[in-house]
């Protein structure tokens, strides 16, 4: 398959691509073969447009975040690997804050569960780009006195991968903090979907089936208490 056309088109939207490029440096295990084309994207419009361009050219693609939960085959990947480095976050003012419950362990009727937010804590909604790394996000939010991600502190994941896997730290699951997310559907629509949509479970979200891409998400976090975190 020739990647000339798609590489040229991606270049016009400012996405840097390399042909026959190793995927290993973008994963924790640092093994495996080459991608036919490897693209680094650093904004949500680039993530959205790169996927649409892959689909237009009928070329298989795979979005990677931190690469901390993938093992790449020695045969590599026939298609486009998209490394998601889309960063950025903002506080959503005047947004109704849903009353979230820790879902995953409740579903398994576990005795000790963690409620994402304790009574009396001031809640805040933060919209986060899916390529943000969790430790960096946590530290940046601390500077604004926002806490809530501490149980995930050492995990080298991105927000997108954390939703895909319903990442967990101790008894808290990432999905427990999710009010809604903005996803790119297989029909190329950008949709707002709520926590229930993901059917979060242990190491599971509906994204395993739907193959949709998370662009960004709205997390319910805590205002204050970052000094105790
Ligand atoms: C040192 C270490 C410690 C870890 N500790 C924990 C732990 O305590 N708890 C835990 O739950 N896990 C842990 N993990 C596993 C891993 O970090 C998590 O599974 C994490 O959620 C993966 O995120 P990622 O961004 O690295 O995803 P990747 O490995 O890049 O991708 C994993 C899957 O998510 C999909 N994906 C990535 N981004 C998106 C997106 N934007 N939209 C849709 N799909 C997407 C990919 O296509 C792929 O199928 C650990 C891993 C390591 C290496």
């Amino acid at each position: 398959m020739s990647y000339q056309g798609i590489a040229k088109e991606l270049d016009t939207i400012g996405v840097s691509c390399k042909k026959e490029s190793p995927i290993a440096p973008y994963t924790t295990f640092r093994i495996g073969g080459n991608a036919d084309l490897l693209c680094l994207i650093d904004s949500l419009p680039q993530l959205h447009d790169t996927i649409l361009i892959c689909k237009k050219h009928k070329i298989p693609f795979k979005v990677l975040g931190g690469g901390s939960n993938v093992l790449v085959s020695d045969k590599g990947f026939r298609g486009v690997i998209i490394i998601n480095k889309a960063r950025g976050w903002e506080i959503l003012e005047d947004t109704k804050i849903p009353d979230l419950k820790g879902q995953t362990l409740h579903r398994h009727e576990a005795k000790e569960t963690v409620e994402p937010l304790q009574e009396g804590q001031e809640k805040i909604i933060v919209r986060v780009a899916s390529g943000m790394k969790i430790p960096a996000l946590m530290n940046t939010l601390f500077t604004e006195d926002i806490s809530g991600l501490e149980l995930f502190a050492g995990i080298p994941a991105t927000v997108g991968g954390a939703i895909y896997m319903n990442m967990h730290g101790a008894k808290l699951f990432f999905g427990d903090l999710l009010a809604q997310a903005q996803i790119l559907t297989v029909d190329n629509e950008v949709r707002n979907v709520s926590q229930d949509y993901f059917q979060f479970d242990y190491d599971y979200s509906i994204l395993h089936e739907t193959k949709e891409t998370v662009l960004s998400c709205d997390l319910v976090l805590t205002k204050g208490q970052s000094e105790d975190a």
Side-chain angles (χ1 to χ4, degrees), residues 1 6 51 63-64 67 69 104-105 109 118 122 135 140-141 144 146 166 171 175 188-189 195 198-199 206 219 221:
M1 190 181 291
I6 186 169
I51 292 172
V63 177
L64 289 187
N69 207 47
T104 306
L105 286 177
E109 296 177 1
Q118 305 300 319
E122 188 189 338
T140 312
L141 292 173
E144 298 291 328
I146 298 169
N166 194 17
K171 292 193 172 67
N188 304 334
E189 273 176 60
Q195 187 192 54
F198 290 95
Q199 299 180 23
I206 195 69
L219 299 175
L221 297 172

Side-chain angles (χ1 to χ4, degrees), residues 156-170:
T158 58
V159 167
I163 295 175
Y164 181 93
M165 287 304 296
N166 194 17
M167 176 185 78
H168 49 96

Side-chain angles (χ1 to χ4, degrees), residues 98-104 107 163 175-181 191-201 204-207:
D99 189 19
L100 298 178
K101 296 272 178 234
Q103 286 193 334
T104 306
R107 192 171 290 136
I163 295 175
D176 294 345
L177 302 175
L178 191 95
Q180 56 175 5
R191 269 183 71 196
N192 253 319
V193 290
S194 64
Q195 187 192 54
D196 288 347
Y197 175 81
F198 290 95
Q199 299 180 23
F200 286 121
D201 209 324
Y204 180 81
S205 73
I206 195 69
L207 300 177

Side-chain angles (χ1 to χ4, degrees), residues 73-135:
S73 153
D74 287 344
K75 292 179 182 160
F77 185 76
R78 303 286 69 79
V80 180
I81 290 287
I82 302 169
I83 308 292
N84 180 11
K85 291 177 175 288
R87 309 235 157 89
W89 64 277
E90 61 177 322
I91 294 168
L92 299 185
E93 311 276 2
D94 305 323
T95 306
K96 190 170 179 292
I97 297 178
D99 189 19
L100 298 178
K101 296 272 178 234
Q103 286 193 334
T104 306
L105 286 177
H106 278 298
R107 192 171 290 136
H108 291 279
E109 296 177 1
K111 288 202 174 65
E112 290 175 53
T113 59
V114 174
E115 291 306 328
L117 294 159
Q118 305 300 319
E119 296 249 323
Q121 290 177 339
E122 188 189 338
K123 299 171 192 175
I124 188 166
I125 295 207
V126 179
R127 178 163 293 180
V128 190
S130 57
M132 287 276 308
K133 284 271 178 81
I134 299 292

Side-chain angles (χ1 to χ4, degrees), residues 29-50:
F29 290 100
R30 297 188 181 273
I31 57 166
N34 290 349
D36 287 339
L37 200 65
L38 187 135
C39 303
L40 301 181
I41 69 96
D42 54 25
S43 71
L44 292 179
Q46 280 188 352
L47 177 59
H48 173 275
D49 293 352
T50 299

